[in-house]
Amino acid sequence: MSGEYRNAFDSSISDREGFWLEAAGGIDWTTPPTSAFTGGRWFADGELNTCVNALDRHVDAGHGDRTALIYDSAMLGTVRSFTYSDLLDEVALFAGVLVKNGVNVGDRVVLYLPMIPEAVVAMLACVRIGAVHSVVFGGFAAKELAARIDDAEPTLLVTASGGFEPGKVIEYLPIVEKALALTRAPKPTVIVRAREGITNEHSWLDWDEQLVDAVAAEPVSVRATDPLYILYTSGTTGKPKGVVRDNGGHAVALMWSMHNIYDVGEGQVMWTASDVGWVVGHSYIVYGPLLAGATTVLYEGKPVGTPDAGAFWRVIQDHGVRALFTAPTALRAIRKVDPHASELEKYDLSSLATVFVAGERLDPDTYEWVSRTLDRPVVDHWWQTETGWAICANLRGLEPLPIKSGSPTVAVPGFQVGILDARGAEVDAGTEGNIVVKLPLPPGTLVGLWNDEDRFRRSYLDTFPGYYLTGDSGYIDADGYVYVLGRSDDVINVAGHRLSTGSMEAVVASHPAVAECAVIGIHDDLKGQRPSGYVVLKAGETISEDQLRTELVAMVRDQIGALATFRDVTIVGALPKTRSGKILRKTMRQIVAGEEYGVPSTIEDPAVLDALEKLLRR
Ligand code: COA
Ligand code: AMP
């Protein structure tokens, strides 16, 4: 590697100031930063408004008639387009609604919304007035919503009367009601967006009524280091981590990524088939494409069944999509239903340049199928809620590199990726270890965890001083290509959704018949991973495995959400543990996966042996 990529990477490290200040030139500042990185913060003396960068500046440049957002609902069979001027008007007006309901600079606003344009409008409205949004994925149950409300302590909560899932309606208001009843935080004002066919009989404020006498709000300039949003993600315990993103670094990084990674610019169409409740949705349904003056597609639907396995190809054709960003699990779902891609014949995909995937490793089998089927570059790239944008990618706009199946290619400029062994020593090329990023992290990455500096340090910084711990393990080959093999902790990825086995264990352990339990991630052909629960009953309990499974599945759905896809329950005599009582989840994972594992010294206990055999027999 000696071309554009190498030059950019090297100067992002050796000339950090020059490189990132130049990147900062892609953003409109009310006060331009004089330095890139000082005192541990990016663009510390700069001031800007991120909403102005996403909307106003394109309108001011004469591009108000360009399409900003296309809402395509496969659930309702409708399509609605918003020009940059339309979206700016809606955002400024809703920002006025926030102001008149007492939302001030720095206040938090929780958004619990399905994939509707109002989700984008509400996010940008918060940003316009310097408030901090925290979007909660609409598939999370009341308890998860409550945990986020308690941590963020919002002044206001915006929700909808419901969402549509294939074959069923999800009523949001009973969930919000239950969540608020569970919270200790002061009760926020609630605004509800009524949805067609889903009743809204609550006395909470109505979105449309609120707009009637609202006055469009002017943008508020904030410091680059001020928080833009909090996004909760699963850690290894049941308590979600509130990842905090700042304004300046985020805008600079995402703007840079649009051209250099995705090769999408003004007037071109990007479709990220995710959900605004996940980081991928934040960065590439909302902020990235709008900062770049591109068109973003907001798709309410599934890859299959809405109505068929040609849904993705239809959206690409109808909206002239240039870059598709999806999760491998969605592509596996399409392949499962339509293995010969016969649906493809019905559509014209000539606009499509590149397919990007993330959320989980792109397995070589799926990679082969998709690249053969679509005859386009299929680019795996690796990132996390914490980083906000790709750590490793094939930078299609900067310099496309050869694709190696199974690898998300190389470190993105700014990310000094390395592999350390358990003692913190660097390992040789090809040797597996902990994937770390040398500090400082580039702009756009997390600046901390909301209200929890201590957990931030413990989770990411303390294990290997001077490095950010990604929680993933993998290796780097002799060409500098990174291979991400999986998490080295108790976080699992189910259908591209990041979940904590710890939070599922907390639910399972609360069942009256359960003495102790372990939930581990096991391989799933469609969803990548799924949770599998192993339970030890209290002495004298006689509940059958089937009955226990039925009850536990219902409890996890009720307390975490259906998206956990918790279905496997096995009763075991005991769990394998260390002498100090720590459950050997890694050993369990290895046994279930048929991998080699070290035999712990406690193995002589017959109950443990029985448990392990039971695991092995599955
Ligand atoms: N609101 C409420 N419930 C939701 C939901 C939401 N937003 N999203 C999912 N659920 C529910 C589903 O209705 C389903 O409930 P059920 O068990 O009662 O049927 C459950 O959660 C699991 O849903 P899902 O993960 O969608 O599984 P599926 O088997 O219906 O579909 C896929 C499988 C692969 C098609 C689907 O998981 C998918 O599209 N994944 C891609 C995810 C993605 O793009 N992630 C990107 C993150 S980067
Ligand atoms: P999330 O924070 O939900 O984006 O999940 C981040 C985690 O998903 C990472 O730590 C990885 O374990 C996994 N992940 C995301 N993208 C990839 C990828 N391209 N390859 C391998 N793992 C990935």
Side-chain angles (χ1 to χ4, degrees):
M1 272 172 268
S2 56
E4 287 290 310
Y5 162 71
R6 186 77 268 165
N7 293 340
F9 185 87
D10 289 348
S11 71
S12 75
I13 307 301
S14 62
D15 177 23
R16 186 182 296 142
E17 287 294 307
F19 183 89
W20 291 110
L21 278 179
E22 190 184 325
I27 290 302
D28 286 2
W29 302 84
T30 40
T31 308
T34 58
S35 96
F37 190 71
T38 28
R41 299 302 301 267
W42 287 98
F43 312 112
D45 63 353
E47 292 189 5
L48 75 162
N49 182 280
T50 300
C51 174
V52 167
N53 276 278
L55 299 176
D56 305 56
R57 66 165 171 165
H58 307 306
V59 175
D60 294 346
H63 304 311
D65 290 340
R66 232 177 231 166
T67 306
L69 175 76
I70 301 169
Y71 166 54
D72 185 315
S73 175
M75 307 308 300
L76 300 174
T78 55
V79 174
R80 245 174 94 197
S81 287
F82 299 74
T83 64
Y84 270 94
S85 294
D86 295 338
L87 196 57
L88 174 55
D89 289 347
E90 299 227 3
V91 166
L93 206 58
F94 194 67
V97 170
L98 298 179
V99 170
K100 81 171 176 177
N101 281 289
V103 179
N104 291 311
V105 176
D107 285 355
R108 275 79 56 214
V109 177
V110 164
L111 308 177
Y112 183 65
L113 288 162
M115 284 286 283
I116 54 177
E118 287 77 5
V120 181
V121 169
M123 287 166 82
L124 292 171
C126 291
V127 174
R128 190 167 190 80
I129 59 163
V132 180
H133 63 69
S134 187
V135 185
V136 180
F137 175 61
F140 276 124
K143 202 163 163 242
E144 293 288 327
L145 175 59
R148 287 153 175 81
I149 294 172
D150 268 337
D151 199 63
E153 301 185 312
T155 310
L156 196 129
L157 185 150
V158 185
T159 188
S161 57
F164 299 100
E165 281 289 294
K168 65 185 172 191
V169 166
I170 311 286
E171 299 233 13
Y172 278 28
L173 301 191
I175 301 173
V176 174
E177 212 164 40
K178 196 167 160 193
L180 290 177
L182 289 169
T183 53
R184 293 177 308 276
K187 300 287 176 259
T189 303
V190 180
I191 297 181
V192 182
R193 167 76 205 181
R195 293 206 70 191
E196 39 286 271
I198 310 180
T199 46
N200 173 21
E201 283 165 356
H202 219 284
S203 58
W204 285 324
L205 304 179
D206 176 76
W207 176 293
D208 285 334
E209 283 172 17
Q210 285 293 307
L211 290 178
V212 174
D213 61 347
V215 180
E218 289 301 317
V220 174
S221 181
V222 298
R223 284 187 302 239
T225 52
D226 282 341
L228 170 76
Y229 68 74
I230 308 168
L231 179 58
Y232 288 88
T233 188
S234 301
T236 50
T237 67
K239 188 174 183 283
K241 289 169 162 171
V243 167
V244 181
R245 195 92 55 216
D246 65 6
N247 273 272
H250 172 262
V252 172
L254 291 195
M255 184 69 199
W256 190 90
S257 74
M258 285 300 294
H259 294 284
N260 290 286
I261 298 180
Y262 300 99
D263 196 18
V264 171
E266 288 190 353
Q268 294 179 324
V269 184
M270 180 166 196
W271 173 30
T272 299
S274 177
D275 188 289
V276 286
W278 306 116
V279 68
V280 168
H282 278 59
S283 295
Y284 295 109
I285 295 175
V286 186
Y287 290 106
L290 297 179
L291 286 167
T295 301
T296 185
V297 179
L298 182 81
Y299 173 70
E300 188 184 33
K302 302 272 174 179
V304 293
T306 58
D308 53 37
F312 272 29
W313 320 141
R314 175 193 66 76
V315 174
I316 293 168
Q317 169 189 274
D318 287 358
H319 308 308
V321 171
R322 173 176 172 78
L324 165 68
F325 182 165
T326 185
T329 187
L331 299 168
R332 287 196 298 270
I334 296 171
R335 180 187 183 183
K336 194 171 164 200
V337 175
D338 185 17
H340 302 296
S342 48
E343 289 289 341
L344 207 51
E345 290 161 16
K346 301 182 195 159
Y347 303 98
D348 171 6
L349 264 55
S350 52
S351 64
L352 184 68
T354 317
V355 178
F356 293 89
V357 296
E360 54 172 317
R361 176 170 172 263
L362 175 61
D363 59 285
D365 198 32
T366 306
Y367 167 74
E368 294 297 339
W369 184 80
V370 183
S371 52
R372 200 177 54 241
T373 302
L374 295 180
D375 194 22
R376 303 283 193 292
V378 178
V379 173
D380 185 11
H381 60 330
W382 166 59
W383 48 303
Q384 312 181 309
T385 305
E386 288 85 344
T387 63
W389 62 303
I391 311 166
C392 286
N394 200 319
L395 294 102
R396 304 299 300 177
L398 181 66
E399 183 194 359
L401 295 174
I403 291 171
K404 289 196 195 183
S405 171
S407 166
T409 317
V410 291
V412 166
F415 288 96
Q416 298 180 76
V417 178
I419 311 288
L420 301 182
D421 67 17
R423 286 166 313 157
E426 278 189 32
V427 302
D428 294 335
T431 305
E432 189 183 338
N434 300 289
I435 315 184
V436 294
V437 183
K438 194 165 180 217
L439 298 173
L441 292 173
T445 52
L446 83 170
V447 294
L449 295 180
W450 185 253
N451 277 339
D452 208 342
E453 176 64 22
D454 186 49
R455 190 176 184 196
F456 172 57
R457 306 216 133 264
R458 270 188 288 117
S459 305
Y460 305 108
L461 306 178
D462 286 352
T463 312
F464 300 117
Y467 296 91
Y468 163 81
L469 181 70
T470 65
D472 282 305
S473 66
Y475 65 93
I476 303 179
D477 75 7
D479 298 328
Y481 278 59
V482 177
Y483 290 76
V484 182
L485 300 174
R487 297 287 304 192
S488 47
D489 56 17
D490 296 321
V491 167
I492 61 171
N493 250 287
V494 182
H497 307 319
R498 175 166 159 181
L499 296 164
S500 147
T501 53
S503 66
M504 290 184 230
E505 284 179 7
V507 176
V508 174
S510 69
H511 187 286
V514 173
E516 58 179 352
C517 66
V519 176
I520 59 171
I522 63 170
H523 173 79
D524 183 277
D525 281 343
L526 174 64
K527 301 194 174 195
Q529 279 187 303
R530 69 170 192 276
S532 189
Y534 298 88
V535 171
V536 180
L537 293 182
K538 284 181 183 157
E541 276 295 343
T542 53
I543 188 168
S544 72
E545 200 169 71
D546 279 349
Q547 181 59 27
L548 183 65
R549 180 180 306 113
T550 306
E551 292 177 17
L552 290 177
V553 167
M555 284 168 69
V556 173
R557 285 177 76 91
D558 182 53
Q559 295 185 42
I560 296 177
L563 79 157
T565 328
F566 181 82
R567 289 188 189 126
D568 300 351
V569 174
T570 307
I571 295 177
V572 291
L575 294 167
K577 286 186 192 165
T578 61
R579 283 217 172 84
S580 62
K582 196 165 173 267
I583 296 172
L584 292 159
R585 293 183 181 77
K586 188 170 175 204
T587 309
M588 293 175 70
R589 280 201 298 269
Q590 289 167 325
I591 294 171
V592 174
E595 292 168 6
E596 279 192 23
Y597 62 96
V599 179
S601 48
T602 46
I603 205 89
E604 281 155 21
D605 180 340
V608 173
L609 260 184
D610 174 56
L612 289 179
E613 272 187 15
K614 209 157 188 176
L615 288 170
L616 277 165
R617 278 205 306 272
R618 287 178 61 88

